[in-house]
Amino acid sequence: MPKLGMEPKRRAEVINATLTCISVYGIDGMTLDKVAEYAGCSKGVVTYYYKNKDHLTSEAFKAFLAYYGLKIESELENSMTAGEMMGIVLKHILPPAAQDTGSTINVSQLEGMEQMSIPHEDQGKLFLQFFSKAVLDRNLQEVLSRSYKADLQGIAKIFDYGSRTGHMSVDDPGDAAYGLLAMVVGLSFFRVANISTANGGDNRYISEDYVRRFSDT
């Protein structure tokens, strides 16, 4: 049994270790023994918090998806325009392609939001692993559905705010949000599959152009 008062830290370490293992070995290759090794604890500690591999995978998927919303919320300010808010959203849900140096997976808030990070390469690997499993796993589908429904509501609110303040022209904020999120998911898959744009550049400009069209009033 873990030491008293260590629960939040241990849970965070196990989740971070799980995401690291999935990035390295894939979901099929991730084991409780490997997670324990990466987390620096015993297998018994892992199973104390997460009863089996399926439970651990589901909780790690939740933490992976929640990471993006938490980073976005930490940077949004009421004084921003809708365009500025949308820039923050896109920065995190489809970050600029870049090489990360020295950073490791950390989806825990325990050490502060600025310490939370998922290196770009790991984001792609995790995205592919989780989404491919979710195709056939009802539990992971439900995790994804709940997360994306919340994301759609948040993005729609920004589009609606832009329309109400006159900075955007949006007939249906819900449809606009749906289109943007669907586009980002597709662009993310293309990134992982190394399908480049015609000019060979970072494909995120396509989502930026999509948002910009609503601002060209």
Side-chain angles (χ1 to χ4, degrees):
M1 182 174 176
K3 294 181 180 179
L4 187 65
M6 288 289 289
E7 180 171 343
K9 185 173 186 297
R10 276 302 190 198
R11 281 185 178 276
E13 289 170 345
V14 170
I15 290 296
N16 287 336
T18 301
L19 292 172
T20 301
C21 284
I22 291 174
S23 179
V24 175
Y25 304 105
I27 292 178
D28 290 339
M30 181 267 287
T31 66
L32 299 183
D33 287 313
K34 288 176 181 175
V35 169
E37 180 181 352
Y38 274 83
C41 64
S42 68
K43 181 179 177 180
V45 170
V46 176
T47 56
Y48 177 81
Y49 293 123
Y50 306 100
K51 57 186 178 181
N52 53 40
K53 179 176 175 176
D54 287 343
H55 182 209
L56 183 55
T57 301
S58 177
E59 293 303 307
F61 192 23
K62 290 177 185 177
F64 173 66
L65 293 172
Y67 163 85
Y68 296 94
L70 291 169
K71 294 293 280 188
I72 290 168
E73 289 174 7
S74 71
E75 295 185 22
L76 291 179
E77 298 178 4
N78 292 333
S79 60
M80 290 179 173
T81 65
E84 290 170 335
M85 291 180 179
M86 204 62 76
I88 297 296
V89 171
L90 289 178
K91 183 180 79 170
H92 289 292
I93 64 175
L94 193 66
Q99 292 293 324
D100 301 282
T101 56
S103 57
T104 57
I105 296 175
N106 177 24
V107 294
S108 169
Q109 303 177 66
L110 293 179
E111 297 177 358
M113 294 296 297
E114 66 280 358
Q115 297 302 317
M116 294 178 69
S117 69
I118 305 178
H120 181 261
E121 184 176 350
D122 290 308
Q123 289 187 36
K125 291 178 180 178
L126 291 168
F127 182 86
L128 182 60
Q129 284 293 318
F130 281 124
F131 279 66
S132 60
K133 280 293 182 182
V135 172
L136 300 175
D137 189 310
R138 175 67 67 178
N139 183 44
L140 294 183
Q141 286 177 19
E142 292 176 355
V143 170
L144 184 60
S145 177
R146 286 194 299 270
S147 176
Y148 273 7
K149 284 179 180 178
D151 291 341
L152 285 169
Q153 289 178 354
I155 295 171
K157 286 181 179 178
I158 296 176
F159 275 124
D160 180 61
Y161 172 63
S163 184
R164 288 187 290 104
T165 56
H167 293 125
M168 290 182 172
S169 178
V170 186
D171 293 332
D172 189 320
D175 282 352
Y178 192 96
L180 178 61
L181 192 55
M183 179 182 296
V184 167
V185 171
L187 292 173
S188 297
F189 268 115
F190 272 31
R191 276 185 169 188
V192 174
N194 290 319
I195 302 175
S196 302
T197 60
N199 62 18
D202 187 345
N203 66 12
R204 75 188 308 271
Y205 77 86
I206 296 173
S207 61
E208 293 174 327
D209 285 347
Y210 175 86
V211 171
R212 193 175 296 116
R213 291 193 185 99
F214 292 101
S215 302
D216 293 338
T217 57

